[in-house]
């Protein structure tokens, strides 16, 4: 429906990079997001925005190094602990609201990295990175519940870059 312009995509006037995959879990999103953030953090004010899977809170939260894991999620806390004050980490299940809040709090923000957002099409992305596990190629799989794909393989067309992970 996004392709047919039935659903609106928001351009939030800030560079947005998305890292995701077609399948459920296990392709290496977290280390790739950390790698990209490490490359950008010294050149541009960078934020990582996640939904915060596993947390028992709702809404927008900035992640601090001593936040309880159940309030922000384990991945968000991982990013904050490795980067500390070198970049911003936030969680928000509504990513449009999350980016809008980040822009208000950090007007100098120059890049938002969306973790696990390949299927989240509500926000315009300047660059989409799709990860694929070498041992579980999407062309040998089927969409849930018959397989492990979140969407049909044709979704790969939205990727600006496909990285094959876990290669021998």
């Amino acid at each position: 429906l996004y392709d047919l312009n039935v659903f609106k995509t928001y351009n939030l006037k800030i560079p947005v990079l998305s890292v995701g995959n077609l399948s459920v879990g296990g392709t290496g999103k977290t280390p790739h997001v950390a790698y990209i953030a490490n490359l950008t953090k010294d050149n541009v004010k960078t934020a990582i925005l996640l939904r915060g899977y596993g947390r028992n809170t709702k809404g927008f939260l900035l992640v601090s190094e001593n936040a309880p894991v159940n309030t922000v999620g384990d991945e968000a806390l991982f990013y904050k602990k490795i980067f500390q004050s070198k970049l911003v980490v936030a969680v928000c299940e509504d990513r449009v609201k999350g980016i809008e809040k980040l822009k208000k709090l950090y007007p100098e923000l120059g890049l938002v990295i969306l973790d696990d957002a390949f299927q989240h099409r509500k926000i315009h992305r300047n660059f989409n990175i799709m990860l694929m596990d070498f041992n579980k190629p999407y062309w040998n799989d089927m969409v849930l519940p018959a397989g492990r794909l979140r969407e049909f393989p044709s979704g790969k067309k939205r990727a600006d870059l496909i990285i094959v992970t876990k290669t021998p």
Side-chain angles (χ1 to χ4, degrees):
L1 294 175
Y2 283 101
D3 291 338
L4 298 172
N5 295 318
V6 173
F7 291 154
K8 183 179 178 182
T9 298
Y10 295 88
N11 187 334
L12 299 169
K13 309 288 189 241
I14 188 167
V16 175
L17 184 147
S18 168
V19 178
N21 55 27
L22 292 179
S23 62
V24 292
T27 57
K29 289 182 300 290
T30 302
H32 279 82
V33 167
Y35 178 76
I36 294 163
N38 193 51
L39 290 176
T40 63
K41 68 179 174 32
D42 295 329
N43 299 313
V44 63
K45 181 73 170 177
T46 301
I48 299 173
L49 179 63
L50 309 89
R51 289 184 53 112
Y53 293 114
R55 68 183 178 132
N56 61 11
T57 57
K58 297 281 183 200
F60 178 86
L61 289 172
L62 286 175
V63 179
S64 67
E65 294 172 54
N66 57 356
V69 69
N70 62 335
T71 64
V72 296
D74 60 346
E75 287 177 327
L77 192 56
F78 167 77
Y79 292 133
K80 191 60 183 179
K81 286 191 180 216
I82 62 169
F83 291 110
Q84 301 168 357
S85 63
K86 295 175 185 149
L87 56 76
V88 177
V89 179
V91 294
C92 190
E93 62 277 4
D94 182 332
R95 297 195 186 177
V96 172
K97 288 181 182 175
I99 291 178
E100 288 173 340
K101 184 77 171 173
L102 284 167
K103 282 174 43 178
K104 285 179 187 171
L105 292 170
Y106 302 95
E108 72 281 13
L109 195 61
L111 174 66
V112 175
I113 302 171
L114 297 177
D115 182 307
D116 196 13
F118 196 72
Q119 284 74 32
H120 183 82
R121 299 187 54 194
K122 197 171 187 176
I123 296 174
H124 166 76
R125 276 71 70 80
N126 300 83
F127 203 76
N128 262 326
I129 298 175
M130 186 187 101
L131 304 179
M132 181 195 74
D133 182 337
F134 175 86
N135 300 298
K136 299 173 188 168
Y138 60 84
W139 57 81
N140 282 344
D141 206 346
M142 297 190 316
V143 176
L144 290 166
R148 296 180 42 85
L149 296 182
R150 300 176 184 193
E151 65 175 298
F152 291 101
S154 60
K156 74 179 186 302
K157 294 176 193 169
R158 294 191 317 277
D160 296 296
L161 174 68
I162 298 174
I163 298 175
V164 181
T165 64
K166 303 180 183 182
T167 59

